[in-house]
């Protein structure tokens, strides 16, 4: 049965706005919010936690029977959507159970990737190339609407793994998996000459790079070859190149 809400002050709509804005609210409610017709299609296919869908009157969507459907006028949709030009679809999903970290060769470790667009793009690429990604400390919330949108639904298909550097370094050491970091340092090895499929490779933050603690404890330094006049690559681009090389 379709429900209809016309008041912007409705408690559910107020909660939606909070879920879009606050990591703390998402954790407390056990829910995250996303927007967009295409993303909704991906959630219908791949997200078992899809709970509530809010549609503008003029938008149609095929939904599972158990999903709660709410219709709102266009102006109400504009009041809750974080998009400048809302597509007319906002939806809520349960946060998935946190997946325990398990070390494996050929995985990517993200250290302090704070830009939602970069993080979402990396998750999307990892999903396409079937590479395990682990988020270390300081990364953006993978269930913020900006990351979900940039991932093009990858967060629906592949559970996001988070862990501390202490956990990861200890587990990799016990499993015999060497940890390598991408770094612009003398003596760094060209990634084309390293067996990345046997390693765990760290990509650092957009501004600071890999933390000194990780740099000092990693067994190998890697570099992506580029023109000498180029200082660095975008984090998402560096991650994509690294993951591609891992699969070779």
């Amino acid at each position: 049965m379709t429900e209809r809400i016309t008041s912007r002050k409705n408690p559910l709509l107020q909660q939606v706005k909070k879920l879009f804005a606050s990591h703390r609210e998402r954790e407390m409610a056990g829910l995250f919010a996303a927007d967009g017709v295409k993303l909704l299609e991906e959630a219908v296919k791949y997200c078992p936690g899809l709970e509530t869908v809010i549609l503008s009157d003029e938008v149609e969507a095929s939904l599972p029977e158990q999903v709660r459907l709410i219709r709102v006028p266009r102006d109400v949709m504009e009041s809750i959507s974080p998009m400048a030009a809302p597509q007319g679809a906002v939806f809520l999903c349960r946060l998935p159970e946190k997946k325990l970290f398990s070390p494996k060769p050929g995985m990517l470790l993200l250290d302090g990737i704070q830009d939602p667009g970069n993080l979402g793009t990396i998750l999307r690429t990892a999903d396409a190339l079937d590479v395990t990604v682990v988020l270390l400390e300081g990364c953006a919330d993978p269930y913020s609407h900006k990351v979900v949108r940039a991932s093009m639904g990858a967060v629906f298909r592949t559970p996001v793994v988070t862990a501390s550097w202490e956990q990861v370094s200890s587990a990799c050491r016990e499993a015999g998996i060497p940890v390598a970091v991408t770094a612009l340092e003398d003596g760094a090895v060209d990634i084309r000459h390293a067996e990345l499929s046997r390693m765990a490779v760290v990509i650092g933050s957009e501004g600071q790079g890999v933390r000194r603690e990780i740099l000092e404890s990693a067994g190998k330094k890697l570099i992506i070859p580029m023109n000498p006049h180029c200082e660095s690559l975008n984090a998402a681009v560096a991650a994509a190149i690294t993951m591609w090389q891992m699969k070779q």
Side-chain angles (χ1 to χ4, degrees):
M1 180 177 176
T2 302
E3 303 172 49
R4 184 167 178 79
I5 294 175
T6 58
S7 171
R8 301 185 185 191
K9 296 182 179 180
N10 178 276
L12 173 63
L13 302 189
Q14 292 300 308
Q15 182 189 35
V16 169
K17 294 174 71 173
K18 291 177 181 178
L19 291 172
F20 275 128
S22 168
H23 168 74
R24 182 171 179 272
E25 188 70 27
R26 292 189 285 273
E27 288 291 318
M28 288 176 58
L31 296 168
F32 68 97
D35 59 272
V37 173
K38 176 61 177 174
L39 270 181
L40 175 57
E41 292 175 357
E42 294 298 300
V44 168
K45 291 178 184 176
Y46 301 108
C47 182
L50 178 63
E51 281 194 352
T52 303
V53 174
I54 304 170
L55 298 178
S56 292
D57 290 328
E58 72 280 6
V59 176
E60 297 296 332
S62 296
L63 304 175
E65 288 185 4
Q66 73 275 14
V67 173
R68 181 183 180 188
L69 172 60
I70 296 169
R71 288 284 181 180
V72 298
R74 166 58 64 172
D75 66 305
V76 173
M77 176 61 68
E78 291 174 350
S79 75
I80 62 172
S81 173
M83 298 180 70
Q87 297 178 13
V90 164
F91 55 97
L92 305 183
C93 303
R94 292 191 305 275
L95 286 172
E97 291 187 15
K98 292 186 177 180
K99 188 176 179 181
L100 294 176
F101 169 71
S102 178
K104 61 184 294 186
M107 64 182 176
L108 193 72
L109 310 176
L110 303 182
D111 179 42
I113 302 295
Q114 298 176 349
D115 182 271
N118 280 342
L119 179 56
T121 299
I122 292 170
L123 295 176
R124 179 182 181 183
T125 307
D127 181 49
L129 297 178
D130 194 25
V131 172
T132 297
V133 174
V134 179
L135 276 57
L136 304 178
E137 296 91 340
C139 289
D141 179 1
Y143 296 102
S144 75
H145 69 94
K146 291 182 179 179
V147 175
V148 174
R149 189 187 308 149
S151 81
M152 288 301 291
V155 296
F156 305 143
R157 296 183 289 271
T158 307
V160 178
V161 181
T162 60
S164 68
W165 166 243
E166 184 178 359
Q167 287 176 300
V168 170
S169 59
S170 174
C172 286
R173 187 165 52 250
E174 290 181 10
I177 299 172
V179 176
V181 299
T182 52
L184 296 172
E185 293 191 0
D186 292 338
V189 176
D190 186 320
I191 64 166
R192 295 172 297 181
H193 303 147
E195 293 183 284
L196 302 190
S197 63
R198 298 185 179 182
M199 303 176 181
V201 181
V202 186
I203 298 289
S205 71
E206 297 84 355
Q208 304 299 319
V210 178
R211 272 178 289 161
R212 177 56 55 184
E213 173 189 6
I214 299 176
L215 278 171
E216 291 176 351
S217 59
K220 188 180 289 290
K221 308 291 193 305
L222 303 173
I223 190 168
I224 298 171
M226 64 183 86
N227 277 328
H229 62 260
C230 293
E231 182 180 336
S232 64
L233 288 170
N234 170 276
V237 172
I241 293 172
T242 300
M243 287 188 282
W244 176 259
Q245 191 63 32
M246 276 180 176
K247 308 303 289 188
Q248 302 312 302

